[in-house]
């Protein structure tokens, strides 16, 4: 039997139905990713499934005793509550039952009480709360009222996870989480036995977690088993078939309209059945809900800056006793697309401000390039006046916007970002989170800029807009600094990565940052290769709280290490130099392939260089494995 079944659901706000006779069934253990355009009604549907709202029509059937927990985009908490107590609300029943058991009331049925506590995991509720706090980097002693919006979201997420419900409903769970927390969350969701329905636009997270994708499109739910890549292929075929079918219907309607408008002689001989078919075709055309258009993005790259955007030499930044950046050097060139990776609060924004000259380092030097025109995308939307209209927000004091080589009226420009002209005079506060992000993008792209600073631009954006933004940034001639926890977005946009690797708990140096070529996956591979070679400390996975000490196991003696032969010792001594030479050769080939000269002057060398680049990767792995084997002996 299904855990949950939604049948013939209807829901409308205004004249456009969000749910139009749709249905959904959820089986035990399923993990559904609910996707769709901003404003399509995903959050409303999630609230219906959670029992917080009801549809205008339709039924929701639940399995008897089904325990549901819902985490909203903007969670609410009791005033003055501590983080620990807020998270403990998720184990409220288990906590209350254990307290009742510990009071030893003679009237209680202790056997039944113990059975229920065991079923809820009540004997270890403190351990579960402490683990959730640790995993999500939360201080249990702080008051929730004093936390930022992103940290409150993590508190709500921890509260839901410790509850261990049969059905977990998450609305944009990855927003404001750093990459480590996102990867931990997807591991936890994959390991838990309960069912899951989540709304997310993080494609890597969807692929890692979901077993089925459900799209809400024009009021109807459509189900797609498998990965997000498989969904994209199937969806593209469906849209092609739909366009063909509608083109045929439009052609038939046009033919019938011509026929009915013929002269008096034709009207005398027309059949009643044909007229009725025409009326039906008109009705079907009027009721048709077209697919929502795509956002039209265009960037003005402004004046070309100098070749160097910024040059940092042995830069350090310290606030009191806290070291955020320690001895970082690097050069940012015109056209670079740089991703910044690191947990929340380690200094990504500080490093950006140093690069752009908004802060001066406590030691070292920073040299900025010339003719820099910088535009910012603010993660917290602090620059938005919620009482201002959309038109005034995009183009204050003017009805026209200059974008690149074109000039557009503000109404037409708003239409490019899927805002109807009727909404141009609506206040910003009436917009959803995704719509506010679209307004920020519209305002950002209306400014001439050769340097873009994008701080979490992907939050709340639908997947179609994300993919268009990726394409735009790939083609953008200026320099991009991207702070994001969306791994797929980083991989598709950035050409180099500056990563924080300074966690002292893992043996790292406080404030240590390192630059890598490529995106997120490239960074992971290069970092892992460096750790195998012993070039940097290995980062152990976030560990759960230590269990209670068990009886000591007998100590097992280590086998004696075999002494290396003279030839093996010579080989071991020569491996570091060989690895360094291979890496230098690989870097030189990558630099050649990244340029344009080899493609125009010596195109026949391209396949040879590509083959050698791949061969070096294999040789490097073999050399590193050999180094590890000999070093262990």
């Amino acid at each position: 039997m299904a855990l949950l079944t939604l049948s013939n659901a209807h829901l409308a706000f205004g004249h456009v139905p969000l749910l139009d006779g749709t249905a959904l069934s959820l089986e035990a253990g399923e993990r559904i990713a609910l996707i769709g355009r901003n404003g399509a009604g995903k959050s409303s549907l999630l609230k219906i499934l959670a029992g917080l709202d009801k549809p205008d029509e339709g039924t929701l059937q639940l399995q008897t005793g089904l325990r549901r927990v819902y985490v909203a985009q903007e969670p609410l908490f009791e005033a003055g509550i501590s983080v620990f107590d807020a998270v403990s609300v998720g184990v409220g029943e288990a906590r209350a039952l254990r307290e009742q058991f510990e009071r030893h009331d003679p009237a209680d049925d202790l056997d039944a009480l113990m059975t229920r506590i065991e079923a809820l995991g009540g004997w270890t509720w403190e351990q579960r709360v402490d683990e959730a706090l640790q995993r999500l980097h939360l201080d249990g002693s702080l008051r929730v009222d004093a936390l930022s919006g992103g940290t409150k979201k993590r508190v709500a997420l921890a509260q839901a996870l410790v509850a261990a419900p049969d059905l977990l409903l998450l609305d944009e769970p990855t927003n404001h989480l750093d990459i480590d927390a996102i990867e931990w969350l997807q591991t936890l969701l994959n390991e838990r036995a309960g069912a899951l329905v989540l709304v997310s636009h993080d494609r890597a997270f969807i692929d890692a977690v979901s077993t089925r994708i459900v799209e809400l499109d024009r009021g109807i739910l459509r189900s797609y088993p498998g990965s997000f890549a498989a969904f994209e292929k199937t969806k593209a075929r469906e849209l092609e078939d739909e366009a063909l079918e509608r083109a045929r219907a439009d052609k038939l309607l046009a033919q019938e309209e011509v026929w009915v408008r013929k002269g008096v002689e034709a009207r005398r001989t027309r059949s009643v059945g044909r007229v009725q078919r025409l009326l039906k075709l008109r009705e079907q055309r009027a009721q048709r809900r077209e697919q929502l258009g795509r956002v039209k993005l265009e960037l003005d790259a402004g004046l070309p800056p100098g070749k160097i955007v910024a040059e940092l030499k042995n830069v350090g930044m310290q606030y009191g006793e806290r070291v955020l950046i320690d001895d970082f050097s690097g050069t940012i060139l015109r056209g670079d697309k740089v991703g910044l990776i690191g947990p929340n609060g380690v200094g990504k924004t500080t490093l950006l401000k140093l690069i752009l000259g908004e802060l001066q380092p406590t030691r070292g030097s920073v040299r900025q390039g010339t003719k820099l025109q910088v535009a910012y995308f603010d993660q917290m939307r602090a620059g938005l006046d919620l009482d201002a209209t959309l038109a005034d927000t995009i183009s204050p004091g003017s009805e026209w916007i200059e974008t690149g080589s074109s000039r557009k009226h503000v109404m037409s420009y708003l239409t490019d970002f899927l805002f109807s002209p009727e909404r141009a005079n609506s206040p910003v506060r009436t917009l959803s989170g995704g719509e506010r992000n679209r307004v920020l993008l519209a305002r950002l792209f209306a400014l001439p800029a050769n340097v873009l600073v994008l701080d979490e631009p992907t939050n709340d954006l639908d997947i179609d807009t994300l993919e268009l933004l990726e394409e735009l940034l790939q083609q953008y001639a200026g320099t991009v600094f991207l702070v994001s926890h969306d791994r797929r977005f980083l991989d598709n946009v950035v050409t180099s990565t500056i990563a924080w690797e300074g966690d002292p708990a893992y043996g790292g140096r406080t404030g240590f940052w390192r630059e890598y070529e490529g995106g997120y996956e490239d960074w992971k591979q290069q970092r892992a290769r460096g750790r195998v070679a012993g070039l940097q400390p290995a980062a152990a996975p976030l560990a759960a709280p230590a269990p209670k000490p068990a009886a000591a196991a007998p100590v097992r003696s280590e086998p004696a290490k075999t002494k290396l032969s003279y030839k093996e010792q010579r080989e071991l001594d020569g491996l570091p130099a060989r690895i360094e030479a291979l890496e230098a050769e690989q870097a030189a080939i990558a630099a050649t392939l990244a340029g344009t000269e080899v493609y125009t002057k010596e195109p026949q060398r391209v396949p040879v260089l590509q083959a050698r680049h791949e061969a070096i990767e294999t040789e490097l792995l073999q050399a590193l494995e050999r180094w590890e084997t000999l070093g262990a002996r």
Side-chain angles (χ1 to χ4, degrees):
M1 176 184 174
L3 292 180
L4 170 153
T5 303
L6 181 68
S7 305
N8 194 32
H10 292 262
L11 180 69
F13 293 103
H15 65 286
V16 178
L18 298 178
L19 301 178
D20 194 4
T22 195
L24 177 68
S25 179
L26 176 68
E27 299 294 331
E30 268 199 303
R31 299 190 298 271
I32 290 179
L34 180 60
I35 65 173
R37 286 292 185 87
N38 292 135
K42 301 184 297 297
S43 294
S44 299
L45 174 59
L46 206 62
K47 289 179 181 178
I48 290 173
L49 299 181
L52 302 176
D53 286 341
K54 292 184 178 180
D56 298 336
E57 295 180 36
T59 58
L60 178 65
Q61 294 178 324
L62 304 176
Q63 191 180 82
T64 304
L66 181 70
R67 296 174 61 242
R68 297 171 287 175
V69 173
Y70 166 75
V71 180
Q73 287 195 48
E74 304 294 338
L76 299 175
F77 297 95
E78 179 185 335
I81 195 171
S82 71
V83 171
F84 183 89
D85 288 337
V87 175
S88 300
V89 170
V91 289
E93 183 184 357
R95 184 178 183 178
L97 288 174
R98 204 180 82 181
E99 289 173 354
Q100 181 181 347
F101 176 82
E102 290 169 351
R103 286 196 300 268
H104 295 296
D105 189 329
D108 292 333
D109 183 347
L110 293 184
D111 287 340
L113 201 57
M114 291 174 65
T115 301
R116 183 59 179 163
I117 292 172
E118 189 73 31
L120 294 173
W123 304 116
T124 58
W125 71 262
E126 297 100 333
Q127 182 178 342
R128 285 157 56 193
V129 171
D130 286 337
E131 179 182 358
L133 293 174
Q134 177 191 353
R135 297 294 195 182
L136 291 170
H137 309 292
L138 295 169
D139 184 345
S141 64
L142 297 178
R143 287 181 51 188
V144 176
D145 295 345
L147 302 179
S148 66
T151 309
K152 288 180 180 177
K153 180 67 174 286
R154 297 209 306 271
V155 173
L157 195 55
Q159 182 187 94
L161 292 173
V162 299
D166 303 315
L167 172 58
L168 185 59
L169 302 117
L170 304 178
D171 197 351
E172 294 290 358
T174 61
N175 280 5
H176 310 297
L177 295 184
D178 57 49
I179 290 176
D180 285 343
I182 291 172
E183 291 184 335
W184 167 81
L185 176 61
Q186 68 189 33
T187 300
L188 183 141
L189 294 177
N190 285 330
E191 290 176 348
R192 69 183 294 273
L196 170 70
V197 179
L198 65 94
V199 172
S200 179
H201 300 131
D202 186 327
R203 293 156 292 177
F205 185 76
I206 289 173
D207 266 341
V209 171
S210 66
T211 58
R212 178 158 62 109
I213 292 172
V214 173
E215 183 189 33
L216 180 55
D217 181 20
R218 289 164 283 177
I220 301 298
L221 290 172
R222 295 180 175 87
S223 181
Y224 303 86
S227 67
F228 183 79
F231 153 75
E232 286 187 304
K233 292 179 182 177
T234 305
K235 183 65 178 178
R237 289 196 300 269
E238 287 181 354
L239 289 176
E240 289 175 4
D241 293 342
E242 180 184 330
L244 184 61
E245 181 182 344
R246 292 190 169 187
R248 289 172 180 160
D250 289 343
K251 182 178 180 180
L252 179 60
L253 176 61
Q255 290 172 346
E256 295 300 289
E257 292 285 4
V258 169
W259 171 80
V260 83
R261 286 171 174 77
K262 283 183 179 179
V264 176
E265 214 174 289
R267 284 201 298 273
R268 283 178 186 160
T269 60
R270 66 189 178 187
S271 69
V272 174
R274 194 167 181 180
V275 173
Q276 290 177 341
R277 184 176 69 169
L278 172 61
L279 295 175
K280 186 175 181 180
L281 285 171
R282 286 175 177 174
E283 183 182 358
Q284 290 173 346
R285 183 64 184 84
Q287 292 178 352
R288 183 191 299 175
R289 292 184 65 181
E290 300 288 352
Q291 186 193 19
L292 191 62
R294 303 185 80 193
V295 176
K296 298 176 184 177
L297 303 180
E298 181 182 356
L299 262 175
D300 184 355
L303 298 172
K307 184 177 180 181
I308 292 179
V309 174
E311 185 179 30
L312 294 81
K313 292 183 178 179
N314 308 113
V315 167
M317 194 67 186
Q318 186 169 346
Y319 291 102
E321 297 296 321
R322 189 183 180 199
V323 178
L324 289 179
I325 300 161
D326 184 20
D327 196 28
F328 176 74
S329 298
T331 302
I332 311 298
L333 301 178
R334 179 179 63 212
D336 283 353
K337 296 175 175 62
V338 183
L340 281 85
I341 294 177
N344 294 329
V346 297
K348 297 189 294 292
T349 302
T350 300
L351 180 56
L352 266 178
K353 290 182 176 179
L354 287 172
I355 292 172
L356 298 173
E358 297 179 11
L359 287 177
Q360 294 302 313
T362 51
R363 57 185 176 276
S365 63
V366 181
R367 178 168 68 93
Q368 274 81 36
T370 58
K371 303 178 183 177
L372 298 184
Q373 297 171 291
V374 184
Y376 290 85
F377 184 96
D378 182 10
Q379 175 189 7
M380 303 309 293
R381 308 186 184 98
L384 283 178
D385 180 357
L386 299 183
D387 294 319
T389 65
L390 270 67
D392 288 339
T393 299
I394 301 301
S395 183
S398 173
E399 293 185 353
W400 296 93
I401 294 172
E402 305 285 344
T403 57
S405 58
S406 62
R407 186 170 184 259
K408 290 186 177 181
H409 193 274
V410 66
M411 297 296 181
S412 174
Y413 187 71
L414 282 171
T415 303
D416 289 345
F417 286 83
L418 306 184
F419 293 109
S420 63
E422 293 81 11
R423 301 186 68 185
N425 294 317
S426 301
V428 172
R429 68 172 62 257
T430 63
L431 304 180
S432 68
E435 289 173 327
R436 291 185 190 183
N437 263 16
R438 288 214 308 270
V439 169
L440 275 178
L441 288 174
R443 189 174 69 174
L444 180 75
F445 295 165
L447 302 172
N450 50 40
V451 176
L452 286 181
V453 179
L454 305 177
D455 192 358
E456 291 293 350
T458 63
N459 284 351
D460 301 319
L461 289 182
D462 59 53
I463 291 172
D464 282 350
T465 307
L466 277 179
E467 291 175 345
L468 284 171
L469 182 57
E470 285 174 359
E471 294 174 14
L472 180 74
L473 294 176
Q474 289 164 2
Q475 299 164 6
Y476 176 57
T479 304
V480 176
F481 293 98
L482 175 61
V483 178
S484 179
H485 300 137
D486 188 323
R487 294 157 289 174
R488 189 75 56 84
F489 192 78
L490 284 166
D491 280 334
N492 291 342
V493 172
V494 305
T495 57
S496 64
T497 299
I498 299 176
W500 179 83
E501 296 180 344
D503 192 339
Y506 300 149
R509 187 175 79 241
T510 302
F512 178 59
W513 293 80
R514 176 174 288 189
E515 188 173 7
Y516 293 86
E517 291 295 322
Y520 173 76
E521 289 297 330
D522 297 312
W523 164 65
K524 281 183 65 177
Q525 293 174 9
Q526 293 176 69
R527 183 180 60 166
R529 194 168 66 197
R531 284 173 178 159
V532 169
L535 300 178
Q536 61 188 85
L542 289 173
K548 295 180 180 179
V555 178
R556 300 174 64 180
S557 59
E558 292 289 335
K561 294 184 178 180
T562 308
K563 186 177 180 180
L564 295 177
S565 67
Y566 174 76
K567 184 177 179 181
E568 288 173 330
Q569 186 63 52
R570 288 283 303 273
E571 182 184 0
L572 178 61
D573 293 341
L575 278 172
R578 172 167 170 71
I579 291 169
E580 186 176 350
L582 286 171
E583 288 178 335
E585 183 184 357
Q586 190 179 48
I589 292 174
T592 302
L593 292 173
T596 58
E597 188 173 351
V598 69
Y599 297 95
T600 55
K601 295 184 178 179
E602 300 176 285
Q604 70 279 3
R605 286 188 61 208
V606 173
V608 178
L609 290 173
Q610 290 173 337
R612 178 56 186 156
H613 191 277
E614 293 178 3
I616 290 174
E617 188 69 28
T618 303
E619 292 177 27
L620 268 173
L621 289 174
Q622 292 172 347
L624 289 169
E625 288 173 0
R626 183 64 174 161
W627 190 7
E628 183 182 20
T629 301
L630 293 176
R633 290 173 52 195

